[in-house]
Amino acid sequence: MVKPNLPLNGTCLCGSVQIQVSAPALLTLACHCHDCQKLSASAYSLTTMFPIDGFSCTGDLIRGGRGSHDRTHFFCKSCLNFIYSLIGKGNQRVNLRTSILDAAASFEPFVELMTDEKLPWAIVPAVHSFARYPLTVEDLQELMGAYSKRDCTGSV
């Protein structure tokens, strides 16, 4: 696996929504929660987290999915492809669906979440695993620090 050059580009299924990312990824995740299984029509969803100020998106989006006061999901208005989520207060980070990226193969999951809802046959090569979520902001910061120090093969 090779680190891709910036900027990163991607589109939704129909091409109506285009994204560009000009900052390195902060973290890659596989989420096994039942909501992500249903949203992605798969065993888990893949997310690559980026700083919001290095992310741009053009095209018509709609809000959807099972959002909450601190979780908003955005989809292409035309093809309904799941594009990204904003999670938490302040929205300093964007959780982009990894498959949107042209270079998606470069973003192997580093962390898997919600393994207590994981389908028993679903296996991902994540280095870190959580039954639910990291417990604190400090835990998240530590994971992002470890992710930034890994080599191009995904090893720590």
Side-chain angles (χ1 to χ4, degrees), residues 7 36 47 51 55:
C36 281
T47 297
F55 172 78

Side-chain angles (χ1 to χ4, degrees), residues 96-140:
L96 180 66
R97 301 289 72 83
T98 304
S99 60
I100 297 300
L101 293 167
D102 295 340
S106 298
F107 295 96
E108 181 177 292
F110 189 70
V111 176
E112 65 178 338
L113 306 171
M114 301 299 290
T115 58
D116 62 347
E117 296 182 17
K118 182 178 181 173
L119 296 175
W121 48 262
I123 298 174
V124 297
V127 177
H128 301 276
S129 185
F130 293 87
R132 301 298 292 167
Y133 296 102
L135 296 176
T136 66
V137 171
E138 291 77 22
D139 291 338
L140 181 60

Side-chain angles (χ1 to χ4, degrees), residues 31-41 45 66-67 71 73 82 117 133:
C31 183
H32 297 280
C33 79
H34 294 304
D35 287 351
C36 281
Q37 290 171 12
K38 291 179 183 206
L39 272 171
S40 66
S45 70
R66 188 173 164 178
R71 179 174 56 164
H73 305 299
F82 189 9
E117 296 182 17
Y133 296 102

